[in-house]
Every structure is written in C-alpha cells, then in structure tokens.
Amino acid sequence: MAETTKTGSYLGYREEPLSWDELLEIFDTMFDEEARDLRTWPQAMRNTHVSWTDGEGINHEVESLDELSEAYARGLTAVVRMSDSITSGYRGAFLYVPGGPQPGARVDLHGAPNDVDRRLEVIQRYFPRQEVEEPLLFLSWSGKRSRKIARCLQGVLQTHLPSVKVFFSETSIDPGDDPDRAMLEDGLLRAVAVIAVLTKEAASRPWVIWETAATWARERVVIPIFVGVKPSEVGGPLTAKFEGVAFRNRDRMDQMLVRAGALCGVADPGPITDDEWRSLKKL
C-alpha cells in the first residue's frame, strides 16, 4: 500500500541572505500563494502565521506580508518564522536566520509525499549547504576585572551557543603560538562580532581600542558591555557607532545573547539562567 503521508525536515545554509522575492517564493512554495493573506481559522480552512524577531529578542507577529517586507528591507529581522496548517492534514514550518556569516534555514513538513518532496527540493536549492563553518565570537578585554568577567562570559556564551567558537585569548592561544598573530588571524579576522568587556580601565587600553576599531573598519559588529563605566565616559567608535549594554541589566544581557546568536545563525539561545546571573553578579 502506498504511503499516504510523509514527514520531512531539512537544515541548510547559503552564502548571502535571500532577496525579498526569493523569500516570497519560499512562502508560496511552503504554503501556496493563496495563503498570502494570512487568514486563519475560522475565516479560512487553515492557520497561517508569520512573525519575526528583532535584534533585541522581541517577537513581532505580522498581520500582512507587507509588514514583514518592510522590516526585512530595513534589516531588522534577526529571525523570520512562518508556519501553516490545513484542515486536510498538511503542516509546514519555516525558520530563517538571515544574519550571521552563513544565513541558514530549517524546514519541517508533513503531508502528501509528493508535496513534501516538491517543497523540500525548493528549500534545498536555496540553501544548498548542509555543512557550515563554525562561527566565531571574539571576547575583547583588558585588566584584571575585565578578564574575570570575560572568562565567565566565555562559559555563558559556549553554553547558550554550543555551535559557536568563542575566542578568549587566555584559553584560545596554544603554548608556543605567536599571540599577536593568533589574535589577529585566528580571532579578529574570523570573528563575526566582538564582545568588548569595558571596565573604566579596559575602555582606555590600546589593545581594546585597536580590536574594536579594527572590527568596525571591517564592517562587523561590536557589542560593548559597560561594567562600572558610563557610555559617555568611553570615547572612539565604541559608543558613537555601537549600541552597548549595561552589565548589571539582566534583560539587556539576555538581549546581547539573542543578538550574538542571530549573528552566528542561532535562532534561540535562551535567557541567562539564575545560576549564571549569580556568577556574573559576583564579579
């Protein structure tokens, strides 16, 4: 007896973000063009939902694809989610992370075998790579207090972003290596973002200024974390070009995790746990 339904999943990557027309084609492939009005039950025999998450981790449910188009064109969408279910039994979900060095998507489908295969073929064409180079975050620090916080943050980042490499010079440079060369070639030049732990001492140190300025010059993201120092007390591109977070503000630290995750292709890193927060506060 022929199989009447099939379940299929796929995770893939590409070199550049999708254009809006390509994203719209994927929507039509996943859910058919009739679903563009995003009608849900009981107005229609289906439930179509589209939402996007911004760089601060705030989710936005949209009522029309025009809303998503505007946000996508402005580069506000850290994550895009689309899902649909039909009373006849079809279910589909598409999660897309357009940021980071290698934009990626995951699709989950359940329905008639021919429909599932047809849809998966289109997704695989747009996201042909299944192996992805490990993204890297660079922790910039200087001074005793900054180092302790960076060391603790390394553990937090690696727990919440297990597929991401975190470069922390104290542990990421092997004995015998040239530290300057390792920091440049294995760290800064590969990093998708720099997280700078800024105490009053670190903010004025040449190495921190150089690392963040070099990252800015390469048009990569710097996320300053202010520890006992106000943004107004820090000069250079750190506050003129980049929005930072206050170390004592737990919500903002959670948003930092979401932003770092989105840059590395991780859709939902989860919030900082109570134990992690207590460890950070002790510092």
Side-chain angles (χ1 to χ4, degrees), residues 7 45-46 50 62 110 117 129 157 163 167 169 189 192 195 198 256:
T7 298
M45 302 295 287
R46 65 195 310 155
V50 175
V62 304
H110 178 84
D117 291 340
R129 294 174 51 203
L157 290 166
S163 61
F167 189 99
S169 57
L189 293 182
V192 298
I195 298 176
L198 298 178
M256 178 275 295

Coordinates of all heavy atoms in Angstrom, one line a residue, residues 7 45-46 50 62 110 117 129 157 163 167 169 189 192 195 198 256:
T7 N 6.7 12.8 6.5 CA 7.3 13.9 7.3 C 8.7 14.1 6.8 O 9.5 13.2 6.6 CB 7.3 13.5 8.8 OG1 6.0 13.3 9.2 CG2 8.0 14.6 9.6
M45 N -9.9 27.7 6.0 CA -9.7 26.3 6.5 C -8.2 26.0 6.7 O -7.6 25.0 6.3 CB -10.2 25.3 5.4 CG -11.7 25.5 5.1 SD -12.7 25.1 6.5 CE -12.6 23.3 6.6
R46 N -7.5 27.0 7.4 CA -6.1 26.9 7.6 C -5.7 27.8 8.7 O -6.5 28.8 9.1 CB -5.3 27.1 6.3 CG -5.4 28.6 5.8 CD -4.9 28.7 4.4 NE -3.6 28.1 4.2 CZ -3.1 27.6 3.0 NH1 -3.9 27.7 2.0 NH2 -1.9 27.1 3.0
V50 N 2.9 34.3 10.6 CA 4.2 34.8 10.2 C 4.7 35.7 11.3 O 3.9 36.6 11.7 CB 4.2 35.5 8.8 CG1 5.6 36.1 8.5 CG2 3.8 34.5 7.7
V62 N 3.0 39.4 12.5 CA 2.6 40.3 11.5 C 1.2 39.9 11.0 O 0.8 38.8 11.1 CB 3.5 40.3 10.3 CG1 5.0 40.7 10.7 CG2 3.5 39.0 9.6
H110 N 4.9 18.1 6.9 CA 4.1 16.8 7.0 C 3.0 16.9 6.0 O 2.2 17.9 6.1 CB 3.6 16.6 8.4 CG 2.8 15.4 8.6 ND1 3.4 14.1 8.8 CD2 1.4 15.2 8.5 CE1 2.4 13.2 8.9 NE2 1.2 13.9 8.7
D117 N 8.1 16.3 -0.9 CA 9.3 16.2 -1.7 C 9.5 17.5 -2.6 O 10.6 18.0 -2.7 CB 9.3 15.0 -2.6 CG 9.4 13.7 -1.8 OD1 9.9 13.8 -0.7 OD2 9.0 12.6 -2.3
R129 N 23.9 24.2 1.2 CA 25.0 23.7 2.0 C 24.4 23.2 3.3 O 23.7 23.8 4.0 CB 26.0 24.8 2.3 CG 26.7 25.3 1.0 CD 27.6 26.5 1.4 NE 28.5 26.2 2.5 CZ 29.0 27.2 3.3 NH1 28.7 28.4 3.0 NH2 29.7 26.9 4.3
L157 N 28.5 32.0 27.0 CA 28.3 32.0 25.6 C 28.4 30.6 25.0 O 27.6 30.2 24.2 CB 29.3 32.9 24.9 CG 29.1 34.4 25.1 CD1 30.4 35.2 24.7 CD2 27.9 34.9 24.4
S163 N 27.2 25.7 19.2 CA 27.8 25.6 17.8 C 28.7 26.7 17.4 O 29.2 26.8 16.3 CB 26.7 25.5 16.8 OG 25.9 26.7 16.8
F167 N 36.4 33.0 21.1 CA 37.8 33.3 21.2 C 38.1 34.2 22.4 O 37.7 35.3 22.5 CB 38.4 34.0 19.9 CG 39.9 34.1 19.9 CD1 40.6 33.2 19.2 CD2 40.5 35.1 20.6 CE1 42.0 33.3 19.2 CE2 41.9 35.2 20.6 CZ 42.7 34.3 19.9
S169 N 41.5 35.1 24.6 CA 42.9 34.9 24.5 C 43.6 34.1 25.6 O 44.6 33.4 25.3 CB 43.6 36.3 24.4 OG 43.3 37.1 25.6
L189 N 40.1 38.4 12.5 CA 39.8 38.3 11.1 C 38.7 37.3 10.8 O 38.1 37.3 9.8 CB 41.1 38.0 10.3 CG 42.1 39.1 10.3 CD1 43.3 38.7 9.4 CD2 41.5 40.4 9.8
V192 N 32.7 37.0 13.6 CA 31.5 37.7 13.1 C 31.2 38.9 14.0 O 30.4 39.8 13.5 CB 30.4 36.7 13.0 CG1 30.7 35.6 12.0 CG2 30.0 36.2 14.3
I195 N 32.7 41.1 21.3 CA 32.0 41.5 22.5 C 33.1 42.1 23.4 O 34.0 41.4 23.9 CB 31.3 40.3 23.2 CG1 30.3 39.7 22.3 CG2 30.7 40.7 24.5 CD1 29.6 38.4 22.8
L198 N 34.0 46.2 28.9 CA 34.6 47.6 29.2 C 34.4 48.0 30.6 O 33.4 48.5 31.0 CB 33.9 48.6 28.3 CG 34.0 48.4 26.8 CD1 33.3 49.5 26.0 CD2 35.5 48.4 26.3
M256 N 21.7 40.8 24.6 CA 23.0 40.6 24.0 C 23.2 39.1 23.5 O 23.8 38.9 22.4 CB 24.1 40.9 25.0 CG 25.6 40.7 24.6 SD 26.2 39.0 24.8 CE 26.1 38.8 26.6

